[in-house]
Amino acid sequence: MASSKSSLAILLCLTIIAVLSSFVLEAEARAFFVFGDSLVDNGNNNFLATSARADAPPYGIDYPTHRATGRFSNGFNIPDLISQAIGEEATLPYLSPYLTGERLLVGANFASAGVGVLNDTGVQFANIIRITQQIQYFEQYQQRVSDIIGPEETQRLVNQALCLITLGGNDFVNNYYLVPFSARSRQFALPDYVVYVISEYRKVLARLYELGLTRVLVTGTGPLGCVPAELAQRSRDGNCAPELQRAASLFNPQLQDMINSLNSEIGSTVFIGANIRQTSIDFINNPGRYGFVTSKTACCGQGPYNGIGLCTALSNVCPNRDIYAFWDAFHPSERANRIIVQQILSGSTEYMSPMNLSTIMALDAAANV
């Protein structure tokens, strides 16, 4: 009898564990939405008449298919690695003809290389998906999903989703500092321009919340003056370009302050700041510690630091991408992206504020048990 009771107790425990595990898995199976620029674009610009494309070799040289996909990387980019970390398949570009049916339920990537917070950023790239259009596509996405699973389930899917948005760098590199005496630099002194961009960014984030997103990772800019393109154009001694560094140092703290203010206004931790500038500075200042032989010269390119022009089939291409912090003149290598995503997942409050992604996932899983 005692043995029977013991077996029953064990069976009951196993049943409870199985039920709880299924709840946790269900909580973890969440849609993922991506907005922003070339750091997170996974192929939308392939479908557009624009020069801001990464759809030809040697892009994608280390991707599983060894083919260019539209990602500005030798392999995986930041959204890919986040999807892998949360156990989900990579989201498709919203413009992809393959994003139909049940694949819509995984989420979508709306990002477009060249865009910024401001609609006049990246005008030289002509036909890109500006952030206002990305948000309109997100509204369209919700209608498409609603036609499949109904409005209530669509709202639940969006409310429980994870979102990543990466904007801001182009507002400096491809706007304010694009040419000497640019229109924006004549209109604003740099500190005033930063305040203006942040105020416009706040409107973007508030709109995402209005549309139902409740967990949004917001990355700041990287160390703008340290990328190979800026070293090639603005540096005489290999040191980071001071004006662009000043822009990043003004922008990122104000972005975090704005995020804190929005969360306070909402009364919940909707927006989470990811300090990719600090993560990048770590491996730029001490590349050897992270296994890189250089954090100044790009793997793919030409000219000083391989920072001039585009990465093409005619460019210099390093044989081992894992020992280069930068893949091309502007974008991190896949290995550098992995370091960035590791800090997003488990970094301290120096890198993730107010909490990292692992903490978010654990809290959300517990809330759904």
Side-chain angles (χ1 to χ4, degrees), residues 75-145:
F76 292 122
N77 65 7
I78 291 170
D80 292 325
L81 298 170
I82 290 176
S83 290
Q84 292 172 19
I86 65 175
E88 299 293 334
E89 62 181 281
T91 55
L92 288 173
Y94 186 67
L95 297 185
S96 170
Y98 300 106
L99 187 64
T100 59
E102 289 192 0
R103 299 200 76 168
L104 283 161
L105 307 185
V106 174
N109 186 314
F110 303 92
S112 178
V115 305
V117 174
L118 306 181
N119 282 334
D120 61 297
T121 290
V123 291
Q124 72 273 28
F125 301 124
N127 192 22
I128 52 179
I129 313 170
R130 306 194 184 284
I131 190 60
T132 48
Q133 182 65 57
Q134 291 183 32
I135 292 172
Q136 288 169 13
Y137 278 150
F138 181 50
E139 294 179 73
Q140 185 184 84
Y141 164 91
Q142 292 195 41
Q143 185 55 57
R144 290 173 65 188
V145 172

Side-chain angles (χ1 to χ4, degrees), residues 19 83 85 123 200 250 294 297 302 304 338 368:
V19 170
S83 290
V123 291
E200 293 300 301
L250 289 170
T294 178
T297 300
Q302 46 279 313
R338 289 185 181 277
N368 284 284

Side-chain angles (χ1 to χ4, degrees), residues 226-229 231 293-307 316 318 323-329 331:
C226 301
V227 300
L231 295 183
V293 296
T294 178
S295 58
K296 296 181 185 295
T297 300
C299 170
C300 180
Q302 46 279 313
Y305 308 103
N306 277 345
N316 305 312
C318 65
I323 58 176
Y324 282 71
F326 286 95
W327 158 243
D328 66 12
H331 304 98

Side-chain angles (χ1 to χ4, degrees), residues 279 283 290 292 334-343:
T279 307
F283 61 70
Y290 296 87
F292 297 123
E334 179 189 305
R335 188 154 178 276
N337 281 333
R338 289 185 181 277
I339 294 169
I340 291 167
V341 170
Q342 187 55 51
Q343 291 291 15

Side-chain angles (χ1 to χ4, degrees), residues 24-236:
V24 171
L25 287 172
E26 184 179 337
E28 290 176 347
R30 64 201 301 179
F32 183 34
F33 300 107
V34 181
F35 301 85
D37 57 28
S38 60
L39 288 171
V40 292
D41 182 358
N42 67 348
N44 278 308
N45 281 20
N46 291 0
F47 303 96
L48 303 173
T50 177
S51 60
R53 295 164 70 123
D55 59 344
Y59 285 98
I61 190 171
D62 297 311
Y63 194 73
T65 60
H66 304 294
R67 294 181 178 178
T69 62
R71 292 165 173 82
F72 286 76
S73 173
N74 58 299
F76 292 122
N77 65 7
I78 291 170
D80 292 325
L81 298 170
I82 290 176
S83 290
Q84 292 172 19
I86 65 175
E88 299 293 334
E89 62 181 281
T91 55
L92 288 173
Y94 186 67
L95 297 185
S96 170
Y98 300 106
L99 187 64
T100 59
E102 289 192 0
R103 299 200 76 168
L104 283 161
L105 307 185
V106 174
N109 186 314
F110 303 92
S112 178
V115 305
V117 174
L118 306 181
N119 282 334
D120 61 297
T121 290
V123 291
Q124 72 273 28
F125 301 124
N127 192 22
I128 52 179
I129 313 170
R130 306 194 184 284
I131 190 60
T132 48
Q133 182 65 57
Q134 291 183 32
I135 292 172
Q136 288 169 13
Y137 278 150
F138 181 50
E139 294 179 73
Q140 185 184 84
Y141 164 91
Q142 292 195 41
Q143 185 55 57
R144 290 173 65 188
V145 172
S146 183
D147 292 341
I148 299 170
I149 62 175
E152 288 186 9
E153 282 300 299
T154 299
Q155 184 176 0
R156 186 184 68 82
L157 179 146
V158 171
N159 289 161
Q160 294 184 357
L162 180 68
C163 174
L164 170 70
I165 184 167
T166 297
L167 289 172
N170 282 326
D171 292 292
F172 299 98
V173 172
N174 283 309
N175 193 330
Y176 194 86
Y177 290 109
L178 178 62
V179 293
F181 309 109
S182 67
R184 287 297 190 183
S185 67
R186 293 196 308 271
Q187 182 184 9
F188 292 104
L190 179 62
D192 298 327
Y193 180 69
V194 170
V195 169
Y196 174 62
V197 174
I198 292 290
S199 69
E200 293 300 301
Y201 205 169
R202 183 186 177 101
K203 295 173 187 175
V204 169
L205 297 183
R207 183 59 182 151
L208 293 180
Y209 175 67
E210 288 172 2
L211 291 172
L213 292 170
T214 61
R215 288 293 197 197
V216 183
L217 301 172
V218 185
T219 72
T221 72
L224 300 174
C226 301
V227 300
E230 301 305 332
L231 295 183
Q233 294 177 50
R234 302 173 188 274
S235 176
R236 295 181 179 179

Side-chain angles (χ1 to χ4, degrees), residues 230 244 359:
E230 301 305 332
L244 281 158
T359 302

